[in-house]
Amino acid sequence: ETGVTQTPRHLVMGMTNKKSLKCEQHLGHNAMYWYKQSAKKPLELMFVYSLEERVENNSVPSRFSPECPNSSHLFLHLHTLQPEDSALYLCASSQDRTGGEYGYTFGSGTRLTVV
Amino acid sequence: RKEVEQDPGPFNVPEGATVAFNCTYSNSASQSFFWYRQDCRKEPKLLMSVYSSGNEDGRFTAQLNRASQYISLLIRDSKLSDSATYLCVVNPGGAFSGGYNKLIFGAGTRLAVHP
């Protein structure tokens, strides 16, 4: 497999459930990201991991919990979510840790619906 | 003021038309710039980087004006397959990025090319 792979593609969960989103990159990149995309809004950065260390948490509610066990894998653990958390969750990876010329490679996203 | 601002559109153009999108950014120290394309219900994909001298890739031309903090994308000879949302993306770099590759996304400009 190549690129950035996200699973599952679609997820429907109740507000009391616990679930996890998974992201895997096969590009040898050293940074990984979680973004949230709600309808009609820009992508919102949630978490950044650089060299497996969390370097930014953009005031995300604690019901979202990231985990980065190694440079190729990233998880987003979800629990007691709210209906307004329904969105497309995108994982991305990048080559350059220090803010160079490189863009991101995105996974195809997980479309989450909270009922 | 939003960090990255774009006209949401939609821009409805006939095949073969030339269309231009503009974008402004608020951080004058921003270091790198990109245009991404996002198809409906899909992930964003890198279209092209934007360089200070301007750059071209086939029918697509990107321009950067640092003095005005303005980025543009010109599409010539529009095709039906160009229909998508175009995202303006800025890397603030340096101290603003915390030393890692952080991208700020605009909300996107929607393009619809019709026969």
Side-chain angles (χ1 to χ4, degrees), chain A residues 52-102:
Chain A
E52 303 159 44
E53 177 188 345
R54 190 196 301 183
V55 294
E56 180 157 330
N57 170 353
N58 266 357
S59 303
V60 178
S62 59
R63 56 187 184 269
F64 295 92
S65 173
E67 179 191 358
C68 185
N70 56 60
S71 60
S72 299
H73 293 86
L74 185 64
F75 295 90
L76 188 63
H77 304 300
L78 316 171
H79 66 98
T80 58
L81 294 192
Q82 304 298 311
E84 60 265 28
D85 296 323
S86 299
L88 179 67
Y89 288 84
L90 289 158
C91 172
S93 68
S94 74
Q95 174 63 30
D96 187 353
R97 178 175 184 268
T98 59
E101 299 182 359
Y102 304 101

Side-chain angles (χ1 to χ4, degrees), chain A residues 33 35 37 42 48 55-56 90 94 96-104 106-108 111, chain B residues 31-32 34 36 38 41-44 46 49 51 87 91 99-103 105-107:
Chain A
Y33 312 81
Y35 275 83
Q37 188 174 35
V48 181
V55 294
E56 180 157 330
L90 289 158
S94 74
D96 187 353
R97 178 175 184 268
T98 59
E101 299 182 359
Y102 304 101
Y104 295 171
F106 282 90
S108 9
R111 191 159 294 280
Chain B
Q31 295 189 351
S32 39
F34 308 89
Y36 274 71
Q38 186 171 24
R41 304 184 75 81
K42 297 282 185 74
E43 74 275 20
L46 179 63
S49 301
Y51 300 118
L87 306 175
N91 183 338
Y100 60 90
N101 190 12
K102 172 180 176 177
L103 299 185
F105 286 78

Side-chain angles (χ1 to χ4, degrees), chain B residues 26-46:
Chain B
S26 60
N27 186 341
S28 60
S30 295
Q31 295 189 351
S32 39
F33 310 88
F34 308 89
W35 284 101
Y36 274 71
R37 171 195 169 127
Q38 186 171 24
D39 292 291
C40 187
R41 304 184 75 81
K42 297 282 185 74
E43 74 275 20
K45 292 186 178 175
L46 179 63

